[in-house]
């Protein structure tokens, strides 16, 4: 178990704040497409952020889930898109980092050592490639397949909405065994950017978050050596997700907390230039309400993250992360609309940051787990359903 609120966190957050400020200065140009997002991830690499979750005995910072959530929140106050993209590196390797100090079977231990070596010794960046068109990130509906071939595997399929496309060095890909009709047993493999048969489409033309560098990834008979099977075990992925869903469900809730904080800060800054609005009791009450909602969401998010640290995989922790994801996902767009209403139409110029933040905030509702899925989980948990039965966990 990691310690939370560790003494080394504040110096780290200072470093993250400096990186966030550098990202903020270029975020508008990246959003407009006049500047590539690659340099933003170069800043993340140079700040030493790729190793934050790796155990200290393997050369990382050994951050707790709570401390990582705070880092993501801080980074997102500079640029939410880069924070969300960076998070996909940690979604890909986060569960592996949590095995630090655990004695694993030989094949799993070799896989862990290889991944950690790629990050620490070679500065490699990972990304998650799970989602598919029409099914999202639901593992049960995965259509990408793999088959055994010699001393390895051959993967075939298409992944949608892959962040860090062409930027990350390695992609953790979910696939089911070829010939199976249902994906009750799903495996993960590490596919490298330069593997023959790997291709990326043009960057997704989304309404916001261009800085995530999201695209479609195609695998055409991609050969993967056996040592790149995640933890050296086939069919483990759904089992793991049902028991410890926090990375898939709420790994990026810190980023949306940072986006919400950016909106509130911007609102305050804009009102300083308009004393008439700033002095209005109605405006003051509305700003106060939104500030209270943000504090409440932060308390819930931090509490959920702390529960993961103290009881990872418990029903209480799993329910808490679903509740927190729902809360912050609903808050961010509501806060953005409130800021537009309070600050007036002048704040919505395309050259201003509020219009971009308004677009970015809307995306939390479509990222897993979606609001209705979060509420369903919390409802089932409250009603006493067995949430460790895969039939009750719709993934």
């Amino acid at each position: 178990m990691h310690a939370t609120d560790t003494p080394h966190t504040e110096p780290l957050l200072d470093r993250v704040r400096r990186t966030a400020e550098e990202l903020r200065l270029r975020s508008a140009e990246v959003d407009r497409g006049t500047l590539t997002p690659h340099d933003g991830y170069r800043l993340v690499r140079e700040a030493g952020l790729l190793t934050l979750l790796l155990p200290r005995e393997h050369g990382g910072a050994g951050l707790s889930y709570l401390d990582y959530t705070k880092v993501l929140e801080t980074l997102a106050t500079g640029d939410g898109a880069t924070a969300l993209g960076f998070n996909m590196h940690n979604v890909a390797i986060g569960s592996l980092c949590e095995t630090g100090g655990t004695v694993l079977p030989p094949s799993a231990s070799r896989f862990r050592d290889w991944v950690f070596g790629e990050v620490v010794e070679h500065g490699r960046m990972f990304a998650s490639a799970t989602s598919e068109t029409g099914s999202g990130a639901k593992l049960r509906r995965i259509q990408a397949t793999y088959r055994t071939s010699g001393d390895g595997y051959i993967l075939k399929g298409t992944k949608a909405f892959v962040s860090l496309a062409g930027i990350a060095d390695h992609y953790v890909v979910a696939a089911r065994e070829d010939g199976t009709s249902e994906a009750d047993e799903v495996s993960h493999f590490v596919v490298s950017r330069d593997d023959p048969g790997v291709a990326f489409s043009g960057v997704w033309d989304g309404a916001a978050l261009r800085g995530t560098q999201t695209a479609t990834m195609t695998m055409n008979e991609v050969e993967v050596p056996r040592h790149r099977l995640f933890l050296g075990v086939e069919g483990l992925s759904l089992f793991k997700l049902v028991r410890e869903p926090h990375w898939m469900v709420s790994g990026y809730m810190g980023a949306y907390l940072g986006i919400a904080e950016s909106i509130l800060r911007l609102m305050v800054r804009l009102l300083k230039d308009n004393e008439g609005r700033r002095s209005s009791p109605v405006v003051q009450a509305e700003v106060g309400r939104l500030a209270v909602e943000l504090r409440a969401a932060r308390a819930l998010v931090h509490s959920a993250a702390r529960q993961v640290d103290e009881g990872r995989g418990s029903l209480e922790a799993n329910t808490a992360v679903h509740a927190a994801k729902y809360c912050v996902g609903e808050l961010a767009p509501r806060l953005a609309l409130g800021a537009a209403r309070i600050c007036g139409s002048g704040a919505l110029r395309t050259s201003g940051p509020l219009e971009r933040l308004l677009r970015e905030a809307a995306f939390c509702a479509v990222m897993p787990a979606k609001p209705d899925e979060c509420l369903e989980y919390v409802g089932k948990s409250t009603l006493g359903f067995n949430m460790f039965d895969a039939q009750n966990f719709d993934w």
Side-chain angles (χ1 to χ4, degrees):
M1 183 186 302
H2 294 289
T4 58
D5 300 318
T6 46
H8 67 279
T9 304
E10 193 54 42
L12 169 62
L13 288 178
D14 285 339
R15 185 177 2 135
V16 175
R17 289 185 192 103
R18 291 193 294 271
T19 305
E21 178 58 23
E22 291 187 73
L23 292 171
R24 185 188 66 78
L25 297 175
R26 60 194 310 284
S27 58
E29 291 184 79
V30 172
D31 179 69
R32 289 192 293 268
T34 58
L35 197 63
T36 173
H38 287 67
D39 281 346
Y41 295 106
R42 176 184 56 78
L43 293 173
V44 167
R45 290 177 190 260
E46 291 176 353
L49 303 187
L50 296 187
T51 63
L52 292 184
L53 291 177
L54 271 66
R56 294 182 186 180
E57 61 268 26
H58 289 274
L63 283 196
S64 67
Y65 194 67
L66 172 58
D67 286 341
Y68 172 68
T69 298
K70 293 178 179 179
V71 165
L72 204 59
E73 177 183 355
T74 303
L75 194 65
T77 59
D79 181 24
T82 303
L84 286 164
F86 165 63
N87 177 64
M88 298 314 294
H89 164 76
N90 297 292
V91 166
I93 66 172
S95 62
L96 188 65
C97 293
E98 290 169 344
T99 68
T102 301
V103 177
L104 300 177
S107 59
S109 181
R110 286 192 294 271
F111 174 80
R112 180 174 63 183
D113 289 344
W114 175 75
V115 170
F116 289 172
E118 286 291 284
V119 178
V120 174
E121 297 170 18
H122 303 291
R124 306 281 196 252
M125 180 179 282
F126 283 71
S128 176
T130 297
S131 294
E132 295 181 358
T133 301
S135 59
K138 298 295 182 71
L139 292 185
R140 288 184 181 279
R141 303 173 191 171
I142 290 294
Q143 295 301 307
T145 61
Y146 72 91
R147 68 179 188 271
T148 304
S149 176
D151 192 31
Y153 304 90
I154 295 179
L155 275 70
K156 185 176 182 179
T158 301
K159 294 296 178 179
F161 304 111
V162 177
S163 297
L164 302 178
I167 293 178
D169 303 281
H170 300 300
Y171 301 82
V172 178
V173 174
R176 61 179 173 86
E177 188 173 7
D178 192 21
T180 58
S181 58
E182 293 184 1
D184 286 330
E185 292 189 355
V186 178
S187 303
H188 277 82
F189 303 84
V190 176
V191 173
S192 295
R193 180 181 60 205
D194 298 327
D195 283 341
V198 173
F200 297 97
S201 71
V203 176
W204 176 61
D205 186 21
L209 302 176
R210 184 187 294 267
T212 59
Q213 188 73 8
T214 296
T216 297
M217 175 182 178
T218 302
M219 298 173 292
N220 184 16
E221 299 290 300
V222 176
E223 297 185 19
V224 175
R226 186 168 296 275
H227 78 269
R228 288 206 232 141
L229 169 64
F230 207 90
L231 283 176
V233 180
E234 293 182 49
L236 183 64
S237 301
L238 187 60
F239 174 86
K240 176 75 171 175
L241 175 62
V242 168
R243 281 152 182 79
E244 298 179 2
H246 51 283
W247 282 113
M248 183 67 79
V249 171
S250 62
Y252 36 69
M253 60 186 178
Y256 276 98
L257 201 56
I259 290 174
E261 174 65 32
S262 295
I263 295 168
L264 184 64
R265 290 182 186 179
L266 178 61
M267 189 191 320
V268 171
R269 190 162 68 247
L270 291 172
L271 287 173
K272 284 183 177 178
D273 297 328
N274 191 326
E275 190 58 32
R277 289 180 185 267
R278 184 170 175 271
S279 300
S280 165
V282 174
V283 169
Q284 292 166 356
E286 180 68 2
V287 171
R289 181 181 65 80
L290 294 173
V292 168
E293 289 190 24
L294 178 57
R295 289 191 179 197
R298 179 178 291 109
L300 186 59
V301 167
H302 288 183
S303 174
R306 183 177 284 107
Q307 288 185 63
V308 170
D309 288 321
E310 295 174 350
R312 186 175 71 245
S314 67
L315 179 61
E316 293 77 12
N318 294 348
T319 303
V321 295
H322 280 84
K325 169 62 170 61
Y326 171 79
C327 182
V328 72
E330 293 291 287
L331 170 64
R334 188 166 66 247
L335 193 61
L337 288 172
R341 184 173 61 251
I342 291 169
C343 297
S345 58
L348 288 175
R349 297 188 305 272
T350 55
S351 60
L354 181 57
E355 183 267 344
R356 172 172 54 84
L357 289 170
L358 184 64
R359 289 185 281 112
E360 291 179 351
F363 274 78
C364 193
V366 300
M367 291 189 177
K370 296 178 182 178
D372 59 324
E373 295 165 345
C374 289
L375 291 179
E376 180 184 0
Y377 189 100
V378 174
K380 285 181 176 179
S381 172
T382 303
L383 290 169
F385 284 77
N386 178 10
M387 301 312 294
F388 298 107
D389 181 344
Q391 299 303 316
N392 291 325
F393 190 40
D394 186 25
W395 278 85

